């Protein structure tokens, strides 16, 4: 079996597929699954989901999870493959780490997110990336320990990558007020400060925040997708407005005495 799914670790994959030894015509139909003959007694099973940014998983469907469940239900996995697919099912059961046993929340960042982003077959081994954005009520070390335990229970190993502490600036700070006041003046509506799981450029500075042109109040055509998804887009009008907001915001920030 060969598995491939996702493109980047910080996005929920909208597509995933497996090359299996089977008669394509004999495989059962299933929602979000397409099967095609791959020749030489092989079949390609493709799963479609709903992609999105790993920090904002609500409304998404992880294609890797869809694929893993189908392969297990159709009896297409060998013994070693089955254990790995069962691990994928656990990792994709929800996007908040509940099934994996790492769920956490706090009053600043909300719920932890846990996303299985990229699966590959490399040198005869399966690999799966995991992306987690976590609040102040847990730590990278605690998440690592639990995921290592979960992987071992399925005959797999877990290798920790980068782990960084949550970064937070009070919404009552004068800098945030300056940004929100400028936004309200040029957008014609009030904005609000909020936290997200995305590790933006802000964490590279002592005092900073992400401040961008994507406005949830903007009406976008149905074909425009979200961040890190197909057809991601922003209107020219929004970019022009953002440029004005940037210029005035920077001028006002430079006038602050901090």
């Amino acid at each position: 079996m060969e598995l491939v799914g996702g493109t980047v670790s910080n996005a929920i994959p909208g597509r995933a597929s497996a090359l299996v030894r089977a008669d394509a015509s004999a495989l059962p139909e299933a929602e979000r699954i397409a099967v095609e003959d791959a020749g030489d007694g092989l079949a390609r099973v493709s799963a479609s989901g709903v992609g999105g940014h790993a920090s904002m998983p609500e409304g998404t469907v992880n294609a890797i999870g869809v694929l893993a469940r189908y392969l297990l239900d159709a009896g297409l996995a060998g013994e070693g493959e089955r254990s790995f697919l069962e691990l994928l099912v656990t990792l994709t059961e929800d996007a908040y780490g509940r099934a994996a046993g790492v769920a956490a929340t706090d009053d600043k960042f909300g719920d932890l997110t846990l996303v299985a982003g990229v699966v590959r077959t490399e040198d005869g081994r399966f690999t799966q990336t995991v992306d987690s954005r976590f609040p102040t009520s847990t730590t990278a070390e605690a998440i690592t320990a639990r995921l290592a335990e979960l992987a071992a229970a399925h005959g797999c190993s877990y290798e920790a990558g980068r782990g960084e502490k949550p970064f937070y600036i009070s919404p009552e700070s004068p800098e945030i007020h300056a940004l929100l006041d400028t936004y309200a003046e040029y957008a014609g509506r009030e904005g609000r400060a909020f936290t997200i799981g995305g590790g933006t450029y802000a964490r590279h500075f002592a005092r900073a925040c992400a401040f961008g042109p994507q406005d949830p109040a903007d009406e976008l055509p149905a074909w425009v997708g979200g961040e890190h998804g197909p057809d991601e887009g922003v209107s020219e009008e929004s970019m022009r407005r953002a440029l004005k907001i940037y210029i005035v915001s920077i001028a006002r920030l430079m006038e602050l005495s901090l």
Side-chain angles (χ1 to χ4, degrees):
M1 178 185 296
E2 292 184 7
L3 298 173
V4 59
T7 55
V8 290
S9 61
N10 64 339
I12 295 159
R15 302 284 297 175
S17 66
L19 185 65
V20 298
R21 190 163 297 282
D23 180 358
S25 63
L27 295 181
E29 294 183 356
E31 185 179 1
R32 296 188 175 277
I33 292 291
V35 178
E36 60 181 339
D37 190 324
D40 297 325
L42 300 174
R44 182 166 298 281
V45 180
S46 299
S48 60
V50 179
H53 195 288
S55 67
M56 296 176 284
E58 186 168 350
T60 62
V61 177
N62 194 314
I64 293 174
V66 175
L67 179 65
R69 287 169 178 81
Y70 178 85
L71 295 174
L72 289 169
D73 291 344
L76 294 172
E79 189 59 36
E81 297 164 339
R82 175 174 296 278
S83 184
F84 182 77
L85 292 175
E86 289 172 347
L87 174 60
L88 296 188
V89 168
T90 299
L91 291 174
T92 59
E93 185 68 30
D94 63 88
Y96 303 97
R98 300 180 188 120
V102 295
T105 190
D106 71 6
D107 60 346
K108 295 182 177 67
F109 291 91
D111 293 335
L112 170 150
T113 58
L114 184 77
V115 167
V118 179
V119 67
R120 291 288 187 269
T121 304
E122 301 174 345
D123 300 325
R125 299 171 58 196
F126 296 133
T127 62
Q128 172 66 62
T129 66
V130 179
D131 179 291
S132 181
R133 319 298 173 98
F134 57 93
T136 58
S137 56
T138 188
T139 64
E141 291 76 18
I143 296 169
T144 293
R146 171 54 192 155
L147 292 182
E149 181 182 77
L150 179 64
H154 290 81
C156 302
S157 60
Y158 177 78
E159 181 179 333
R162 185 179 63 182
E164 299 179 0
K165 294 180 179 179
F167 177 81
Y168 180 76
I169 293 289
S170 171
E172 299 306 317
S173 68
E175 304 98 312
I176 301 300
H177 276 293
L179 297 176
L180 291 179
D181 290 346
T182 306
Y183 168 82
E185 180 179 339
Y186 285 87
R189 52 184 171 268
E190 289 189 4
R192 64 180 181 85
F194 59 94
T195 59
I196 62 171
T200 70
Y201 54 81
R203 67 168 58 252
H204 296 291
F205 299 85
R207 297 182 65 83
C209 74
F211 188 56
Q214 185 185 32
D215 192 327
D218 287 342
E219 294 185 5
L220 298 174
W223 59 266
V224 174
E227 296 98 322
H228 295 339
D231 299 320
E232 177 182 354
V234 63
S235 71
E236 181 179 341
E237 179 185 0
S238 294
M239 293 299 290
R240 290 181 181 276
R241 181 181 65 222
L243 180 59
K244 295 177 183 178
I245 294 173
Y246 284 148
I247 292 172
V248 176
S249 294
I250 291 172
R252 288 174 175 173
L253 287 174
M254 293 176 67
E255 293 175 352
L256 295 177
S257 298
L258 301 174

